[in-house]
Amino acid sequence: MLLLFLPRSGWYWGPITATEAKQRLQKMAEGVFLVRDSTHPSYLFTLSVRTNRGPTNVRIEYSDSLFRLDSNWLSKPRILSFPDVVSLVQYYVSSCSSESSKDPVSQSPPASTSLKEPAAVHLKLLRPLHRSGESPSLQHLCRLQINRSVAPGADLTDLPLPRRMVEYLQRYPFRL
């Protein structure tokens, strides 16, 4: 399950360095992100995201068969864990999307997405950066749209679709 979904996402960049990720994100809008292999030997993946202060990297921990964003030990109990990296990213994208629809004046970023520096950088995950020269296939874009239209947890076999299409939808059950 670990690497089953991530390569299909289109925004997993594999073994690029922090410098390469920074170059890719430097001229992007705030909230654009990618996932890459971590260069730190204790972590598998890193989330690189364009913040209001520039590109930032957040390691993704893997412990007890679950993934979560790296944080200081005080925040760790509040950080949610997920069975795979795509679920983790999808959660933070959807929570950022729901926050951006609120009144921006009264809005405060969730504690779980702030970094450990005294003047915290608040992460906003809004839009994935797809690998260079690779746009998602029309087939994958259709799958995403169907997944967004179906209620979470709904049984796809109830849809009036051919079996092969249902199997294709089930191979990537995410909305991102």
Side-chain angles (χ1 to χ4, degrees), residues 48-75:
S48 297
V49 59
R50 178 67 162 86
T51 68
N52 60 349
R53 294 187 183 174
T56 298
N57 297 298
V58 180
R59 293 180 180 130
I60 299 174
E61 285 187 9
Y62 181 66
S63 176
D64 300 322
S65 300
L66 294 171
F67 294 92
R68 68 176 171 196
L69 296 179
D70 186 27
S71 65
N72 63 26
W73 64 273
L74 289 172
S75 299

PDB file of all heavy atoms in Angstrom, residues 48-75:
ATOM      1  N   SER A  48       7.157  19.307  -0.055  1.00  0.00           N
ATOM      2  CA  SER A  48       7.726  20.614  -0.385  1.00  0.00           C
ATOM      3  C   SER A  48       6.574  21.498  -0.844  1.00  0.00           C
ATOM      4  O   SER A  48       5.803  21.110  -1.720  1.00  0.00           O
ATOM      5  CB  SER A  48       8.769  20.488  -1.502  1.00  0.00           C
ATOM      6  OG  SER A  48       9.852  19.687  -1.079  1.00  0.00           O
ATOM      7  N   VAL A  49       6.457  22.676  -0.230  1.00  0.00           N
ATOM      8  CA  VAL A  49       5.311  23.541  -0.502  1.00  0.00           C
ATOM      9  C   VAL A  49       5.752  24.998  -0.569  1.00  0.00           C
ATOM     10  O   VAL A  49       6.657  25.416   0.142  1.00  0.00           O
ATOM     11  CB  VAL A  49       4.195  23.351   0.571  1.00  0.00           C
ATOM     12  CG1 VAL A  49       4.702  23.665   1.952  1.00  0.00           C
ATOM     13  CG2 VAL A  49       2.961  24.161   0.247  1.00  0.00           C
ATOM     14  N   ARG A  50       5.109  25.756  -1.431  1.00  0.00           N
ATOM     15  CA  ARG A  50       5.374  27.194  -1.559  1.00  0.00           C
ATOM     16  C   ARG A  50       4.531  27.913  -0.520  1.00  0.00           C
ATOM     17  O   ARG A  50       3.303  27.839  -0.537  1.00  0.00           O
ATOM     18  CB  ARG A  50       5.026  27.666  -2.964  1.00  0.00           C
ATOM     19  CG  ARG A  50       5.206  29.166  -3.200  1.00  0.00           C
ATOM     20  CD  ARG A  50       6.674  29.546  -3.126  1.00  0.00           C
ATOM     21  NE  ARG A  50       6.975  30.820  -3.725  1.00  0.00           N
ATOM     22  CZ  ARG A  50       6.869  31.978  -3.085  1.00  0.00           C
ATOM     23  NH1 ARG A  50       6.457  32.036  -1.848  1.00  0.00           N
ATOM     24  NH2 ARG A  50       7.183  33.098  -3.708  1.00  0.00           N
ATOM     25  N   THR A  51       5.203  28.563   0.434  1.00  0.00           N
ATOM     26  CA  THR A  51       4.508  29.329   1.472  1.00  0.00           C
ATOM     27  C   THR A  51       4.648  30.810   1.164  1.00  0.00           C
ATOM     28  O   THR A  51       5.318  31.194   0.188  1.00  0.00           O
ATOM     29  CB  THR A  51       5.110  29.050   2.868  1.00  0.00           C
ATOM     30  OG1 THR A  51       6.432  29.603   2.913  1.00  0.00           O
ATOM     31  CG2 THR A  51       5.145  27.559   3.168  1.00  0.00           C
ATOM     32  N   ASN A  52       4.077  31.648   2.023  1.00  0.00           N
ATOM     33  CA  ASN A  52       4.207  33.091   1.822  1.00  0.00           C
ATOM     34  C   ASN A  52       5.642  33.565   2.033  1.00  0.00           C
ATOM     35  O   ASN A  52       5.989  34.662   1.643  1.00  0.00           O
ATOM     36  CB  ASN A  52       3.245  33.852   2.731  1.00  0.00           C
ATOM     37  CG  ASN A  52       3.491  33.579   4.202  1.00  0.00           C
ATOM     38  OD1 ASN A  52       4.238  32.672   4.568  1.00  0.00           O
ATOM     39  ND2 ASN A  52       2.846  34.343   5.060  1.00  0.00           N
ATOM     40  N   ARG A  53       6.489  32.724   2.628  1.00  0.00           N
ATOM     41  CA  ARG A  53       7.907  33.064   2.826  1.00  0.00           C
ATOM     42  C   ARG A  53       8.824  32.365   1.838  1.00  0.00           C
ATOM     43  O   ARG A  53      10.035  32.444   1.957  1.00  0.00           O
ATOM     44  CB  ARG A  53       8.336  32.687   4.235  1.00  0.00           C
ATOM     45  CG  ARG A  53       7.653  33.515   5.289  1.00  0.00           C
ATOM     46  CD  ARG A  53       8.238  33.207   6.612  1.00  0.00           C
ATOM     47  NE  ARG A  53       7.552  33.935   7.653  1.00  0.00           N
ATOM     48  CZ  ARG A  53       7.782  33.773   8.923  1.00  0.00           C
ATOM     49  NH1 ARG A  53       8.686  32.908   9.332  1.00  0.00           N
ATOM     50  NH2 ARG A  53       7.122  34.464   9.815  1.00  0.00           N
ATOM     51  N   GLY A  54       8.260  31.615   0.906  1.00  0.00           N
ATOM     52  CA  GLY A  54       9.067  30.885  -0.064  1.00  0.00           C
ATOM     53  C   GLY A  54       8.888  29.392   0.113  1.00  0.00           C
ATOM     54  O   GLY A  54       8.125  28.933   0.964  1.00  0.00           O
ATOM     55  N   PRO A  55       9.592  28.610  -0.672  1.00  0.00           N
ATOM     56  CA  PRO A  55       9.477  27.157  -0.567  1.00  0.00           C
ATOM     57  C   PRO A  55       9.925  26.634   0.803  1.00  0.00           C
ATOM     58  O   PRO A  55      10.912  27.097   1.361  1.00  0.00           O
ATOM     59  CB  PRO A  55      10.397  26.643  -1.677  1.00  0.00           C
ATOM     60  CG  PRO A  55      10.462  27.772  -2.649  1.00  0.00           C
ATOM     61  CD  PRO A  55      10.408  29.014  -1.806  1.00  0.00           C
ATOM     62  N   THR A  56       9.171  25.686   1.316  1.00  0.00           N
ATOM     63  CA  THR A  56       9.433  25.077   2.626  1.00  0.00           C
ATOM     64  C   THR A  56       9.324  23.570   2.484  1.00  0.00           C
ATOM     65  O   THR A  56       8.514  23.080   1.696  1.00  0.00           O
ATOM     66  CB  THR A  56       8.397  25.583   3.659  1.00  0.00           C
ATOM     67  OG1 THR A  56       8.537  26.992   3.786  1.00  0.00           O
ATOM     68  CG2 THR A  56       8.601  24.941   5.005  1.00  0.00           C
ATOM     69  N   ASN A  57      10.110  22.854   3.255  1.00  0.00           N
ATOM     70  CA  ASN A  57      10.079  21.393   3.245  1.00  0.00           C
ATOM     71  C   ASN A  57       9.638  20.877   4.609  1.00  0.00           C
ATOM     72  O   ASN A  57      10.133  21.350   5.635  1.00  0.00           O
ATOM     73  CB  ASN A  57      11.464  20.835   2.924  1.00  0.00           C
ATOM     74  CG  ASN A  57      11.908  21.248   1.542  1.00  0.00           C
ATOM     75  OD1 ASN A  57      11.275  20.901   0.567  1.00  0.00           O
ATOM     76  ND2 ASN A  57      12.987  22.006   1.463  1.00  0.00           N
ATOM     77  N   VAL A  58       8.731  19.924   4.604  1.00  0.00           N
ATOM     78  CA  VAL A  58       8.278  19.282   5.833  1.00  0.00           C
ATOM     79  C   VAL A  58       8.428  17.779   5.641  1.00  0.00           C
ATOM     80  O   VAL A  58       7.881  17.218   4.688  1.00  0.00           O
ATOM     81  CB  VAL A  58       6.798  19.620   6.145  1.00  0.00           C
ATOM     82  CG1 VAL A  58       6.353  18.934   7.433  1.00  0.00           C
ATOM     83  CG2 VAL A  58       6.592  21.120   6.224  1.00  0.00           C
ATOM     84  N   ARG A  59       9.159  17.156   6.524  1.00  0.00           N
ATOM     85  CA  ARG A  59       9.336  15.713   6.426  1.00  0.00           C
ATOM     86  C   ARG A  59       8.040  14.997   6.778  1.00  0.00           C
ATOM     87  O   ARG A  59       7.250  15.481   7.582  1.00  0.00           O
ATOM     88  CB  ARG A  59      10.453  15.256   7.353  1.00  0.00           C
ATOM     89  CG  ARG A  59      11.805  15.778   6.906  1.00  0.00           C
ATOM     90  CD  ARG A  59      12.890  15.309   7.848  1.00  0.00           C
ATOM     91  NE  ARG A  59      14.155  15.832   7.398  1.00  0.00           N
ATOM     92  CZ  ARG A  59      15.006  16.467   8.178  1.00  0.00           C
ATOM     93  NH1 ARG A  59      14.737  16.650   9.453  1.00  0.00           N
ATOM     94  NH2 ARG A  59      16.145  16.904   7.695  1.00  0.00           N
ATOM     95  N   ILE A  60       7.866  13.845   6.179  1.00  0.00           N
ATOM     96  CA  ILE A  60       6.710  13.005   6.469  1.00  0.00           C
ATOM     97  C   ILE A  60       7.224  11.779   7.213  1.00  0.00           C
ATOM     98  O   ILE A  60       8.042  11.028   6.690  1.00  0.00           O
ATOM     99  CB  ILE A  60       5.971  12.604   5.175  1.00  0.00           C
ATOM    100  CG1 ILE A  60       5.462  13.854   4.461  1.00  0.00           C
ATOM    101  CG2 ILE A  60       4.832  11.633   5.489  1.00  0.00           C
ATOM    102  CD1 ILE A  60       4.840  13.579   3.098  1.00  0.00           C
ATOM    103  N   GLU A  61       6.762  11.629   8.447  1.00  0.00           N
ATOM    104  CA  GLU A  61       7.173  10.501   9.281  1.00  0.00           C
ATOM    105  C   GLU A  61       6.406   9.242   8.906  1.00  0.00           C
ATOM    106  O   GLU A  61       5.247   9.317   8.511  1.00  0.00           O
ATOM    107  CB  GLU A  61       6.849  10.783  10.751  1.00  0.00           C
ATOM    108  CG  GLU A  61       7.741  11.746  11.423  1.00  0.00           C
ATOM    109  CD  GLU A  61       7.440  11.839  12.916  1.00  0.00           C
ATOM    110  OE1 GLU A  61       6.653  11.030  13.457  1.00  0.00           O
ATOM    111  OE2 GLU A  61       8.000  12.741  13.539  1.00  0.00           O
ATOM    112  N   TYR A  62       7.050   8.108   9.082  1.00  0.00           N
ATOM    113  CA  TYR A  62       6.388   6.811   8.922  1.00  0.00           C
ATOM    114  C   TYR A  62       6.656   6.024  10.187  1.00  0.00           C
ATOM    115  O   TYR A  62       7.804   5.710  10.509  1.00  0.00           O
ATOM    116  CB  TYR A  62       6.931   6.071   7.702  1.00  0.00           C
ATOM    117  CG  TYR A  62       6.265   4.737   7.458  1.00  0.00           C
ATOM    118  CD1 TYR A  62       4.933   4.667   7.101  1.00  0.00           C
ATOM    119  CD2 TYR A  62       6.979   3.554   7.595  1.00  0.00           C
ATOM    120  CE1 TYR A  62       4.309   3.453   6.870  1.00  0.00           C
ATOM    121  CE2 TYR A  62       6.378   2.334   7.365  1.00  0.00           C
ATOM    122  CZ  TYR A  62       5.040   2.288   7.003  1.00  0.00           C
ATOM    123  OH  TYR A  62       4.422   1.079   6.778  1.00  0.00           O
ATOM    124  N   SER A  63       5.592   5.738  10.935  1.00  0.00           N
ATOM    125  CA  SER A  63       5.736   5.029  12.196  1.00  0.00           C
ATOM    126  C   SER A  63       4.477   4.212  12.450  1.00  0.00           C
ATOM    127  O   SER A  63       3.360   4.705  12.216  1.00  0.00           O
ATOM    128  CB  SER A  63       5.939   6.052  13.323  1.00  0.00           C
ATOM    129  OG  SER A  63       5.990   5.430  14.567  1.00  0.00           O
ATOM    130  N   ASP A  64       4.644   2.992  12.922  1.00  0.00           N
ATOM    131  CA  ASP A  64       3.509   2.105  13.205  1.00  0.00           C
ATOM    132  C   ASP A  64       2.596   1.954  11.990  1.00  0.00           C
ATOM    133  O   ASP A  64       1.368   1.981  12.112  1.00  0.00           O
ATOM    134  CB  ASP A  64       2.714   2.606  14.415  1.00  0.00           C
ATOM    135  CG  ASP A  64       3.556   2.681  15.676  1.00  0.00           C
ATOM    136  OD1 ASP A  64       4.402   1.778  15.862  1.00  0.00           O
ATOM    137  OD2 ASP A  64       3.376   3.632  16.463  1.00  0.00           O
ATOM    138  N   SER A  65       3.189   1.858  10.818  1.00  0.00           N
ATOM    139  CA  SER A  65       2.470   1.684   9.548  1.00  0.00           C
ATOM    140  C   SER A  65       1.568   2.858   9.195  1.00  0.00           C
ATOM    141  O   SER A  65       0.615   2.711   8.436  1.00  0.00           O
ATOM    142  CB  SER A  65       1.645   0.396   9.558  1.00  0.00           C
ATOM    143  OG  SER A  65       2.493  -0.715   9.759  1.00  0.00           O
ATOM    144  N   LEU A  66       1.878   4.043   9.734  1.00  0.00           N
ATOM    145  CA  LEU A  66       1.090   5.244   9.439  1.00  0.00           C
ATOM    146  C   LEU A  66       2.014   6.411   9.109  1.00  0.00           C
ATOM    147  O   LEU A  66       3.154   6.479   9.572  1.00  0.00           O
ATOM    148  CB  LEU A  66       0.215   5.621  10.644  1.00  0.00           C
ATOM    149  CG  LEU A  66      -0.881   4.636  11.015  1.00  0.00           C
ATOM    150  CD1 LEU A  66      -1.510   5.011  12.348  1.00  0.00           C
ATOM    151  CD2 LEU A  66      -1.932   4.548   9.918  1.00  0.00           C
ATOM    152  N   PHE A  67       1.497   7.358   8.320  1.00  0.00           N
ATOM    153  CA  PHE A  67       2.238   8.547   7.919  1.00  0.00           C
ATOM    154  C   PHE A  67       1.667   9.769   8.619  1.00  0.00           C
ATOM    155  O   PHE A  67       0.455   9.871   8.811  1.00  0.00           O
ATOM    156  CB  PHE A  67       2.120   8.758   6.402  1.00  0.00           C
ATOM    157  CG  PHE A  67       2.784   7.688   5.604  1.00  0.00           C
ATOM    158  CD1 PHE A  67       2.078   6.579   5.193  1.00  0.00           C
ATOM    159  CD2 PHE A  67       4.119   7.789   5.255  1.00  0.00           C
ATOM    160  CE1 PHE A  67       2.679   5.580   4.445  1.00  0.00           C
ATOM    161  CE2 PHE A  67       4.741   6.799   4.504  1.00  0.00           C
ATOM    162  CZ  PHE A  67       4.022   5.697   4.102  1.00  0.00           C
ATOM    163  N   ARG A  68       2.559  10.718   8.964  1.00  0.00           N
ATOM    164  CA  ARG A  68       2.114  12.007   9.493  1.00  0.00           C
ATOM    165  C   ARG A  68       3.208  13.028   9.256  1.00  0.00           C
ATOM    166  O   ARG A  68       4.368  12.682   9.039  1.00  0.00           O
ATOM    167  CB  ARG A  68       1.768  11.905  10.969  1.00  0.00           C
ATOM    168  CG  ARG A  68       2.937  11.665  11.875  1.00  0.00           C
ATOM    169  CD  ARG A  68       2.471  11.680  13.306  1.00  0.00           C
ATOM    170  NE  ARG A  68       3.541  11.237  14.172  1.00  0.00           N
ATOM    171  CZ  ARG A  68       3.359  10.854  15.393  1.00  0.00           C
ATOM    172  NH1 ARG A  68       2.150  10.831  15.895  1.00  0.00           N
ATOM    173  NH2 ARG A  68       4.367  10.485  16.126  1.00  0.00           N
ATOM    174  N   LEU A  69       2.829  14.303   9.304  1.00  0.00           N
ATOM    175  CA  LEU A  69       3.801  15.367   9.144  1.00  0.00           C
ATOM    176  C   LEU A  69       4.714  15.391  10.361  1.00  0.00           C
ATOM    177  O   LEU A  69       4.262  15.174  11.492  1.00  0.00           O
ATOM    178  CB  LEU A  69       3.102  16.719   8.991  1.00  0.00           C
ATOM    179  CG  LEU A  69       2.237  16.892   7.747  1.00  0.00           C
ATOM    180  CD1 LEU A  69       1.583  18.267   7.749  1.00  0.00           C
ATOM    181  CD2 LEU A  69       3.044  16.688   6.475  1.00  0.00           C
ATOM    182  N   ASP A  70       5.978  15.650  10.126  1.00  0.00           N
ATOM    183  CA  ASP A  70       6.947  15.745  11.208  1.00  0.00           C
ATOM    184  C   ASP A  70       6.651  17.013  12.014  1.00  0.00           C
ATOM    185  O   ASP A  70       6.233  18.032  11.460  1.00  0.00           O
ATOM    186  CB  ASP A  70       8.357  15.813  10.610  1.00  0.00           C
ATOM    187  CG  ASP A  70       9.445  15.772  11.665  1.00  0.00           C
ATOM    188  OD1 ASP A  70       9.211  15.196  12.744  1.00  0.00           O
ATOM    189  OD2 ASP A  70      10.531  16.307  11.399  1.00  0.00           O
ATOM    190  N   SER A  71       6.851  16.943  13.315  1.00  0.00           N
ATOM    191  CA  SER A  71       6.630  18.108  14.167  1.00  0.00           C
ATOM    192  C   SER A  71       7.455  17.956  15.433  1.00  0.00           C
ATOM    193  O   SER A  71       8.042  16.902  15.689  1.00  0.00           O
ATOM    194  CB  SER A  71       5.147  18.235  14.526  1.00  0.00           C
ATOM    195  OG  SER A  71       4.765  17.131  15.316  1.00  0.00           O
ATOM    196  N   ASN A  72       7.438  18.997  16.257  1.00  0.00           N
ATOM    197  CA  ASN A  72       8.157  18.878  17.530  1.00  0.00           C
ATOM    198  C   ASN A  72       7.375  17.963  18.466  1.00  0.00           C
ATOM    199  O   ASN A  72       6.202  17.674  18.244  1.00  0.00           O
ATOM    200  CB  ASN A  72       8.423  20.254  18.152  1.00  0.00           C
ATOM    201  CG  ASN A  72       7.149  20.994  18.511  1.00  0.00           C
ATOM    202  OD1 ASN A  72       6.104  20.393  18.770  1.00  0.00           O
ATOM    203  ND2 ASN A  72       7.228  22.305  18.519  1.00  0.00           N
ATOM    204  N   TRP A  73       8.001  17.495  19.492  1.00  0.00           N
ATOM    205  CA  TRP A  73       7.396  16.478  20.366  1.00  0.00           C
ATOM    206  C   TRP A  73       6.163  16.991  21.082  1.00  0.00           C
ATOM    207  O   TRP A  73       5.281  16.220  21.443  1.00  0.00           O
ATOM    208  CB  TRP A  73       8.427  15.895  21.319  1.00  0.00           C
ATOM    209  CG  TRP A  73       8.993  16.894  22.301  1.00  0.00           C
ATOM    210  CD1 TRP A  73      10.049  17.729  22.110  1.00  0.00           C
ATOM    211  CD2 TRP A  73       8.509  17.151  23.607  1.00  0.00           C
ATOM    212  NE1 TRP A  73      10.246  18.506  23.214  1.00  0.00           N
ATOM    213  CE2 TRP A  73       9.310  18.163  24.165  1.00  0.00           C
ATOM    214  CE3 TRP A  73       7.474  16.630  24.372  1.00  0.00           C
ATOM    215  CZ2 TRP A  73       9.117  18.666  25.436  1.00  0.00           C
ATOM    216  CZ3 TRP A  73       7.282  17.133  25.650  1.00  0.00           C
ATOM    217  CH2 TRP A  73       8.100  18.136  26.171  1.00  0.00           C
ATOM    218  N   LEU A  74       6.043  18.303  21.307  1.00  0.00           N
ATOM    219  CA  LEU A  74       4.850  18.842  21.964  1.00  0.00           C
ATOM    220  C   LEU A  74       3.617  18.751  21.068  1.00  0.00           C
ATOM    221  O   LEU A  74       2.510  18.516  21.543  1.00  0.00           O
ATOM    222  CB  LEU A  74       5.076  20.309  22.361  1.00  0.00           C
ATOM    223  CG  LEU A  74       6.041  20.548  23.510  1.00  0.00           C
ATOM    224  CD1 LEU A  74       6.319  22.032  23.679  1.00  0.00           C
ATOM    225  CD2 LEU A  74       5.495  19.953  24.800  1.00  0.00           C
ATOM    226  N   SER A  75       3.809  18.938  19.780  1.00  0.00           N
ATOM    227  CA  SER A  75       2.683  18.916  18.832  1.00  0.00           C
ATOM    228  C   SER A  75       2.346  17.515  18.358  1.00  0.00           C
ATOM    229  O   SER A  75       1.245  17.277  17.871  1.00  0.00           O
ATOM    230  CB  SER A  75       3.020  19.768  17.609  1.00  0.00           C
ATOM    231  OG  SER A  75       3.239  21.097  17.990  1.00  0.00           O
TER     232      SER A  75
END
